[in-house]
Amino acid sequence: MNAEGILLLTAREIRSLLTLDECIAAVEHAFRAYGEGRAVAPAVLSMHTDAGGFHVKAGMLELDRSYFAAKVNGNFPENNSRFGLPTIQGVIVLCDAANGVPLAVMDSRDITSLRTAAATAVAAKYLARLDSRTITICGCGNQGRIQLKALSRICRLETAFAYDTDGEEAMRFSQDLTSELNISVKPVSNLAAAVRQSDICVTCTPSRQPLLGAGDVRPGTFIAAVGADNPQKHELHPSLMANSKVVCDILEQCAVMGDLHHALDAGVMTLANVHAELGEIVAGKKPGRESNEEIIIFDSTGMALQDVAAAAFLFEKAEKQRAGARLSFAD
């Protein structure tokens, strides 16, 4: 056991230590390391309940030292309306991968939100058109907010359309983000009409029915499908997947829990039809966008290496700043 004790980082401390720009850089490094073969494939375990479910995501990265992290998250979409609780709750355990010593335990909620949006930003860097100015955010909860903030770091956005099944949520999203980002954020009630005017679309919902089909997207659009992180969730119609260039975060995961899973089940795609994993593109092993007419989909199911990268960065920064508390399980 670590003689200095295990570092404990609360949500408040994480928000003060990890910026969005730092998280984007850490996540891009993780994708590059994986694409270059310098990181083993991460693992995931999922268990489902009637109201939601749990997943455990684990991975290892060689950074300044060798790190292992495992994240245990509960995801319960009706938590807010039923109990006044967050949709996502959990913890990340960070260990020294060289000797197994537990180094830190940290709240996972903000890390999950930041690293998910950071992955979209990294994907947009390589897959969105350089002249992208208009975006649609489908799902105006916390993740939608961070997605828009992250993409504003990568693209020179001028207009954003905000769609949510809860119109009041979309209105609040519009008011808050217009002021914060100094761009025009407009609530919309017709998702397909908004997407047909957009260069980028992010779907981040718990939907179990397709939200967008092949006729809803114009040539050249970049779509980040973020919501489908279990086999029941479904945001993009199989026909849209089949007619697009598909890039996965982790192919094996997307084949069982992402929107790719539904396209495979529908028989309109095979694994061979997937263009690449994002890490291969970041590492320069496969091309990203090859024309301004391609529709490119980033199927984002959440890669454990994103969690390892963010947690390791937080741990090292907290150590330097002497932030957080110490726990000891020693006798």
Side-chain angles (χ1 to χ4, degrees), residues 8 23 72 75 91 109 133 140 158 175 258 265 294 309 327:
L8 174 66
C23 193
V72 181
N75 189 322
V91 296
R109 186 182 177 206
R133 299 290 180 267
C140 295
E158 297 173 353
Q175 293 169 345
D265 278 1
E294 292 178 307
L327 299 175

Side-chain angles (χ1 to χ4, degrees), residues 33 106 144 281:
M106 53 191 77
I281 294 172

Side-chain angles (χ1 to χ4, degrees), residues 118-189:
T120 300
V122 173
K125 177 179 176 180
Y126 294 89
L127 303 176
R129 295 197 329 269
L130 295 177
D131 63 350
S132 295
R133 299 290 180 267
T134 304
I135 183 172
T136 293
I137 300 292
C138 175
C140 295
N142 181 61
Q143 185 56 236
R145 289 169 179 258
I146 298 176
Q147 289 281 333
L148 183 54
K149 292 176 187 178
L151 284 162
S152 71
R153 303 295 209 278
I154 300 298
C155 304
R156 294 171 58 192
L157 298 176
E158 297 173 353
T159 302
F161 297 116
Y163 174 83
D164 198 283
T165 53
D166 183 340
E168 292 184 1
E169 189 78 16
M171 181 64 72
R172 286 191 293 271
F173 181 100
S174 171
Q175 293 169 345
D176 294 346
L177 275 298
T178 293
S179 174
E180 183 172 347
L181 299 179
N182 197 31
I183 64 174
S184 174
V185 184
K186 304 174 183 178
V188 295
S189 57

